[in-house]
Amino acid sequence: MTTETFSFQAEVQQVLKLVIHSLYSHKEIFLRELVSNASDACDKLRFEALQNADLYGDQPGLNIYLSADKEARTLSIRDSGIGMSRHELIENLGTVARSGTRKFLEALSEDKRGDAQLIGQFGVGFYAAFIVADKVSVTSRRAGSDEAWTWTSAEGGNTFEVSSAAADSPRGTTVTLHLRDDESEFLDDWRLRSLVHRYSEHIGFPIHMRAEKKGDDESDDAKAGSNEWETVNQASALWTKPRNELSDADYQAFYQHVSHDFGEALAWTHNRVEGNQNFTSLLYLPAKAPFDMFSGRDERKGLKLYIKRVFIMDASEQMLPNYLRFVRGVVDSDDLPLNVSRELLQSSRQVERIRGALTKRTLDLLDRLANEDKEKYDSFWQQFGNVLKEGVVEDNGNRERILKLARFPSSLSQSADDRVSLDAYIARMQPEQKAIYYVTADGWNAARRSPQIEALTQRGIEVLLLHERVDEWMAGYLHEYDGKPLRNVAKGELDADLPSAEADKGKAEQADKDAAPLIERLKHLLGDKVSGVKVSRRLVDSPACLVTGEHDMAPHMQRLLAAAGHAMPQSAPTLEINPGHPLLQRLANEADTAKADDLGWLLLEQAQLTAGAALDDAAGFVARMNRLIGA
Ligand code: ADP
Ligand code: MG
């Protein structure tokens, strides 16, 4: 018999090290991972057999067997699933099968390497076996093939071996773990059963273990354990059970199974829909965002599509809008054709309807959470709020609902985490206040110190502080909520909006007149850097601020996009000034033109800096500053 030796791909060695060292405190998850692979393998065979029933041969059952051998100190997990060819053994177990793994390694900077929570979210898979075993062998016969192969690897080695196995090996895969000396607990029947109950109770296939020995005779038979197999899990796809037969612990265990998360789900919704579409859905909100929440838009996972209990594929992309990509769970349709393809899923009216229904279910769940458990809802928003905000842009039909779920800090907040809903904002609006006001900025401090909000906050008007990157994009779609206009206070005209503007009208006109020469001076100096200069109604303490056109992008966003290589349309902002400020008074009275010019440019540059815009001429700015300071 020939044995060939192969090297693991470099990434595999890294993953192995990481898994063994970081996950020791969660070592029992190896069983969850191996059982989950066995279950996946059964799912795959059932799926392939839809096209080719011969694949079952004379063994139609799909089963998982768990057995421990105390003498040999081995634990085996066998499944009668799809199996692996020689090539597949080498590919799947010798290289990092999923492109996500490489990204994961990159995402995991050195200081996070010990973060088991993070690694758990990623689903460590097969290599978890090495947490408890120093040698692992995998014997597999692919369904439909009469060749079987054995893959073996021992700890610490950078290699694995593949040799041919007995041709009468059963269909499917047997993973045998040679347990480390201190891992004897996993030979214990009771321990194994309790792990199956904890992690694998509701997978769709029966897990069998040797029946417990009867009697106390010392015969060899009893020592070796009974030869009878018994099913130790419920093996009923959990979602097919009625809600009242399931406990929270059942739901949580199943969540861990579908999500590979160590943590608990925050909330879930389990529904059977009957009508012109029949389907069951079980949707979970995770408590923590996975590490690739923002980078992983392209390869989404998390919602498994079943058709009449046959696993078809991960269909998160087709079944849920992008902005709900954090949802995990299962949807099981009675009506879709079993041979459904990705293309069909993309275009089918039926899928469109299910997608609409799942979206509604998820938003309902969020509503309920927001109303019933503020603390949980806040933690949801903290983790996923920025993803949900994408829905304001992408989902016209649900915009109002999503805005109802949104939470933002405001000028009344003590910190960026102290947030208010739009409904709560409206409930405490000033009596004469017509609009909901907000400002966008690049960061919390920039937002709360925005000069544009000064006049409003001085009058006791609350301003929402939209300080996250996604906010500026979303703001383009904020027009109205609950019949009230949403107004960006750093854009366009504000005067007419301001309560008590009427009363101040006379004063304002006088101020415009008085400032006319100053305004002329600044216009002349700043040229096309600004589209205009005017007396501000927004400012109280700051000397000046920038105001962009109603449909122009905020200055901080223009800077970010320009830095990312996007061509920016050059629309100059308006410079608004506060003539009462000492800097402006000094400028008005400055006889020395060179000094006046310095002051004028500094005024613009300050306004640019507070708005998060890029300075055209940073060195010029520094030189001006130094001249003024007298350095
Ligand atoms: P994942 O399950 O997330 O794909 P794993 O590391 O758990 O990653 O497994 C890697 C691959 O090895 C699987 O995608 C599958 O192709 C293969 N595999 C693992 N276990 C089995 C098994 N019991 N039967 C068939 N294939 C398996
Ligand atoms: Mg796996």
Side-chain angles (χ1 to χ4, degrees):
M1 191 179 76
T2 55
T3 298
E4 270 193 80
T5 303
F6 301 83
S7 292
F8 281 116
Q9 187 193 29
E11 276 89 352
V12 174
Q13 295 171 26
Q14 288 186 54
V15 171
L16 267 170
K17 250 205 223 126
L18 260 172
V19 165
I20 295 170
H21 292 119
S22 325
L23 288 184
Y24 191 74
S25 53
H26 298 268
K27 59 186 175 180
E28 80 264 10
I29 57 125
F30 82 88
L31 194 65
R32 176 189 80 188
E33 294 297 329
L34 296 180
V35 169
S36 137
N37 283 350
S39 155
D40 291 349
C42 292
D43 270 330
K44 279 182 204 157
L45 176 54
R46 188 152 67 178
F47 183 64
E48 282 193 23
L50 291 173
Q51 309 289 333
N52 177 10
D54 293 345
L55 285 178
Y56 284 124
D58 52 10
Q59 199 191 342
L62 292 169
N63 291 290
I64 300 168
Y65 301 88
L66 204 60
S67 56
D69 181 335
K70 289 191 171 146
E71 298 279 297
R73 296 185 48 78
T74 57
L75 174 65
S76 301
I77 297 100
R78 172 158 76 83
D79 65 73
S80 56
I82 190 74
M84 283 177 274
S85 65
R86 178 174 181 277
H87 174 74
E88 285 169 328
L89 277 171
I90 296 166
E91 275 296 303
N92 296 343
L93 307 184
T95 62
V96 170
R98 291 154 304 172
S99 62
T101 314
R102 191 184 297 259
K103 278 209 200 132
F104 158 76
L105 282 170
E106 286 162 6
L108 219 59
S109 59
E110 286 295 331
D111 59 318
K112 288 191 190 145
R113 293 251 152 133
D115 190 341
Q117 194 68 40
L118 208 65
I119 298 170
Q121 286 171 6
F122 147 83
V124 284
F126 172 76
Y127 302 115
F130 287 94
I131 306 176
V132 297
D134 48 20
K135 182 178 162 197
V136 177
S137 72
V138 181
T139 296
S140 198
R141 184 164 69 79
R142 203 178 195 290
S145 161
D146 44 22
E147 288 176 3
W149 300 90
T150 297
W151 177 105
T152 312
S153 180
E155 190 207 2
N158 296 332
T159 59
F160 58 91
E161 290 173 354
V162 177
S163 55
S164 68
D168 61 355
S169 306
R171 178 191 75 220
T173 303
T174 306
V175 178
T176 302
L177 310 184
H178 298 259
L179 295 174
R180 296 173 195 278
D181 288 342
D182 42 358
E183 307 300 347
S184 306
E185 60 183 286
F186 299 112
L187 295 168
D188 183 69
D189 187 69
W190 183 85
R191 174 84 166 120
L192 291 171
R193 281 170 196 254
S194 79
L195 287 177
V196 169
H197 290 311
R198 165 124 37 106
Y199 292 116
S200 312
E201 184 70 8
H202 290 288
I203 65 162
F205 303 94
I207 300 173
H208 307 272
M209 290 178 68
R210 299 269 187 209
E212 277 158 272
K213 293 180 269 192
K214 304 236 163 49
D216 55 357
D217 66 303
E218 288 288 304
S219 71
D220 283 355
D221 228 30
K223 267 191 215 143
S226 151
N227 282 328
E228 300 282 309
W229 292 101
E230 67 183 4
T231 308
V232 291
N233 65 335
Q234 297 203 23
S236 64
L238 172 118
W239 64 91
T240 60
K241 297 203 140 192
R243 275 192 299 231
N244 58 15
E245 284 177 24
L246 295 165
S247 67
D248 284 3
D250 290 333
Y251 278 115
Q252 291 289 11
F254 189 71
Y255 167 72
Q256 297 201 332
H257 168 69
V258 288
S259 68
H260 291 263
D261 193 344
F262 291 137
E264 300 218 312
L266 192 67
W268 55 86
T269 174
H270 182 190
N271 301 96
R272 167 93 194 138
V273 175
E274 270 158 30
N276 47 23
Q277 278 287 320
N278 299 315
F279 66 92
T280 303
S281 64
L282 171 54
L283 307 176
Y284 289 96
L285 301 177
K288 286 244 157 42
F291 69 93
D292 60 352
M293 194 79 251
F294 292 93
S295 63
R297 269 178 78 117
D298 323 328
E299 358 165 331
R300 281 169 46 190
K301 273 199 163 188
L303 187 72
K304 294 184 190 299
L305 170 66
Y306 285 77
I307 297 176
K308 299 195 190 74
R309 293 196 47 195
V310 178
F311 173 71
I312 305 296
M313 66 175 121
D314 212 295
S316 171
E317 270 163 69
Q318 291 83 8
M319 294 279 173
L320 281 170
N322 234 324
Y323 68 90
L324 297 179
R325 62 184 176 277
F326 48 81
V327 171
R328 299 284 177 264
V330 171
V331 53
D332 190 347
S333 160
D334 294 358
D335 311 314
L336 290 170
L338 272 166
N339 61 355
V340 73
S341 64
R342 282 197 179 273
E343 293 66 40
L344 191 70
L345 277 184
Q346 223 85 53
S347 60
S348 141
R349 289 272 309 278
Q350 283 170 302
V351 172
E352 207 40 57
R353 278 208 216 105
I354 298 179
R355 184 184 161 104
L358 296 183
T359 303
K360 184 176 174 304
R361 291 281 174 217
T362 309
L363 295 177
D364 288 347
L365 174 63
L366 289 172
D367 264 340
R368 207 167 65 222
L369 202 61
N371 293 329
E372 290 171 6
D373 194 335
K374 182 179 175 319
E375 208 170 302
K376 267 195 186 171
Y377 187 75
D378 287 347
S379 91
F380 159 78
W381 184 260
Q382 179 87 28
Q383 293 290 318
F384 300 109
N386 282 338
V387 182
L388 194 64
K389 284 174 190 170
E390 294 171 16
V392 172
V393 175
E394 290 170 357
D395 192 347
N396 264 316
N398 286 308
R399 182 167 302 145
E400 185 94 0
R401 284 203 72 182
I402 298 168
L403 281 175
K404 192 182 187 64
L405 291 165
R407 301 288 183 269
F408 303 106
S410 82
S411 49
L412 300 182
S413 300
Q414 298 305 312
S415 76
D417 295 333
D418 175 13
R419 304 184 184 89
V420 64
S421 69
L422 292 180
D423 289 331
Y425 176 101
I426 289 173
R428 62 192 191 202
M429 268 166 57
Q430 299 290 330
E432 26 12 332
Q433 186 180 343
K434 295 192 210 85
I436 299 168
Y437 294 105
Y438 67 89
V439 69
T440 64
D442 192 14
W444 164 247
N445 279 323
R448 96 193 149 87
R449 298 224 175 91
S450 295
Q452 291 91 343
I453 73 174
E454 290 172 355
L456 287 164
T457 52
Q458 196 192 40
R459 286 168 212 232
I461 295 175
E462 184 172 13
V463 180
L464 300 173
L465 304 177
L466 277 53
H467 62 100
E468 306 268 7
R469 287 272 154 94
V470 59
D471 291 344
E472 176 65 24
W473 179 47
M474 177 188 64
Y477 296 80
L478 294 179
H479 304 302
E480 211 186 80
Y481 177 75
D482 194 18
K484 312 225 164 10
L486 279 144
R487 295 274 290 119
N488 185 332
V489 302
K491 287 187 182 178
E493 291 293 328
L494 198 60
D495 307 24
D497 268 78
L498 287 178
S500 72
E502 271 310 300
D504 293 344
K505 212 167 171 188
K507 259 206 267 169
E509 277 165 11
Q510 189 56 44
D512 286 345
K513 242 184 248 156
D514 294 347
L518 185 56
I519 286 175
E520 274 321 300
R521 186 169 205 175
L522 281 166
K523 275 186 183 163
H524 182 73
L525 175 71
L526 303 175
D528 61 7
K529 293 289 176 217
V530 294
S531 66
V533 180
K534 54 187 278 200
V535 174
S536 185
R537 314 276 180 254
R538 300 171 221 249
L539 297 172
V540 177
D541 299 320
S542 301
C545 68
L546 295 182
V547 173
T548 55
E550 201 71 68
H551 303 288
D552 289 338
M553 199 176 279
H556 71 270
M557 210 56 194
Q558 294 195 21
R559 171 176 58 81
L560 289 173
L561 288 176
H566 296 274
M568 279 295 109
Q570 283 299 319
S571 52
T574 301
L575 182 70
E576 290 197 355
I577 58 168
N578 178 3
H581 191 278
L583 177 54
L584 274 296
Q585 291 181 349
R586 189 167 153 197
L587 178 60
N589 301 326
E590 183 58 69
D592 180 335
T593 8
K595 277 194 182 154
D597 287 359
D598 274 356
L599 283 171
W601 280 114
L602 276 172
L603 198 67
L604 175 65
E605 284 162 333
Q606 290 189 357
Q608 287 173 331
L609 284 173
T610 51
L615 293 182
D616 289 340
D617 178 12
F621 165 73
V622 171
R624 279 186 274 282
M625 283 268 293
N626 290 343
R627 276 198 293 277
L628 270 166
I629 298 167

